Amino acid sequence: MKNRLDKSIIIQEALKELPSPSRRLLMKRAVTLGGLSLLTGCAVTDEKSAENMLMKISMLNDDVQAWLFDPNKLAPTYPESMMTKPFPFNAFYGPEDIPEIDEEDYQLEVSGLVADKHSWTLAELRKLPQTSQVTRHICVEGWSAIGKWGGVTFATFLNHIGADLSAKYVGFKCEDDYYTSIDMPTALHAQTLLTLTYDGQTLPPEYGYPMKLRMPTKLGYKNPKHIVAIFVTNTYPGGYWEDKGYNWFGGS
Amino acid sequence: MVMNSDQKIVHPFWLRTFHWINLVAVILLILSGWRIYNASPIFAFTFPKEITLGGWLGGALLWHFAAMWLLFFNGLLYLFLNTVTGRFKARFFPIRFGDVFSELTAAFKGKLAHDDLSEYNAVQKLAYLFAVVFIVLLVLSGLVVWKSVQFPLLRELMGGYDNARIVHFFAMSALVAFTAVHVMMVALVPKTLLMMIRGR
């Protein structure tokens, strides 16, 4: 009971300190509220420094993961018989809000540090060499599921558009307002696919029509769906969940 | 052992430091771990939110992946110093398994001797070594849950990603069970708590 009281006081104090409409900060603050007040009932100032410390360590963990990441190490692949059926739908919204996209209207925008910035139609993308893989999708929540994705090796696509492969980040914007970004070494990994199909069929809406970036070397939230824009940059682009406190590298 | 245990330093300073740092790390890891577990429970129960750390999954993960370094480096130094000072050999070996049985019987009858606290009895030796093993197992299975692609050998050893989560869970359960008994025994012989603080 006492804990709960402390917590609500701390939340009020924290809200007072918040400089207006920053939902992002509010979400981030919530990160540690439960935890710290549970342990010690610390004051708001301590709360902030604890949060800063945790975010700093998380950035340090990005570096550790980049160091651990072996570009030649492949994620395990599985026989099709081991596919999880049905493969779970997962998003930050319910299935009723899955974006509806028409192939006729769709264009993939390309920008940033690339030589060729022309937009891509799905027909053009389907003309690039296609490959497929059966890999394990690991969710940050802990569950995992095996699926079969097909499409264009992302490295092939990046080479096609003349991307600056020495740039730090590749960022993604999605039709459902999701956004995320990845490191260049992962973008160039042999199993990183710009997928257009699931289990041999056109990628269904619930799995990210018209395209999803599939990386078996990263957690689920790093795999954007309904991608409408790809950009190459040296400026940290963040991500939807990453800006709320999930680790940016999100490797597995 | 004739020496007065009041005068002799039973636990060296470094050991006491590691013990309390380890306690902090384990509490942070277990409480945040329970919140992470709740996001996708392996079994048909979840941990009450009030006794978890982090507020939400993202917060719990931040705590977990921060405290893991504390546990890891503290544990590494603990193992290193125990080995080079010869403390492991001196305090834990040999373990007479005959004694384990007779001491357990005595303990359940409430007649466990504890007049000389400067030496571990056989049950203690075994229990503390198991605690070390549980923590090593937690680190190894944790590495697989964290980075299953980057540690293929360890992953196969754990029986795959999903299985590593189960190993991680049961190693946690074992460590919690150890801690419960450990705290109970300390409560029965409070002088041991003093010894872990001031060394004698």
Side-chain angles (χ1 to χ4, degrees), chain B residues 5-117:
Chain B
S5 65
D6 269 356
Q7 301 309 315
K8 189 182 153 198
I9 292 288
V10 175
H11 302 311
F13 178 73
W14 58 265
L15 182 93
R16 284 176 274 144
T17 313
F18 291 163
H19 174 269
W20 295 114
I21 292 177
N22 189 61
L23 175 73
V24 172
V26 165
I27 288 176
L28 292 176
L29 282 162
I30 285 180
L31 297 187
S32 58
W34 287 353
R35 181 61 192 82
I36 297 167
Y37 168 95
N38 282 356
S40 178
I42 306 174
F43 303 105
F45 73 94
T46 56
F47 294 96
K49 203 173 183 303
E50 294 73 32
I51 56 165
T52 65
L53 174 66
W56 69 297
L57 175 60
L61 288 165
L62 285 176
W63 278 106
H64 208 73
F65 291 137
M68 72 175 181
W69 294 115
L70 200 59
L71 182 91
F72 181 73
F73 287 114
N74 189 62
L76 221 53
L77 277 173
Y78 167 88
L79 292 177
F80 175 74
L81 275 180
N82 262 298
T83 310
V84 297
T85 60
R87 181 182 176 273
F88 253 146
K89 216 173 147 225
R91 303 250 17 206
F92 287 96
F93 297 99
I95 303 171
R96 292 184 196 84
F97 287 92
D99 292 352
V100 174
F101 188 73
S102 58
E103 282 167 19
L104 275 178
T105 320
F108 282 119
K109 286 179 184 159
K111 285 182 202 155
L112 188 63
H114 48 73
D115 24 270
D116 182 7
L117 295 175

Side-chain angles (χ1 to χ4, degrees), chain A residues 6 25 33 37 61 77-78 82 140 186 197 206 244 250 252:
Chain A
D6 287 353
L25 251 177
L33 276 175
S37 56
N61 285 340
T77 52
Y78 302 88
M82 282 181 73
V140 65
T186 303
T197 67
E206 64 267 38
K244 294 175 167 63
S252 75

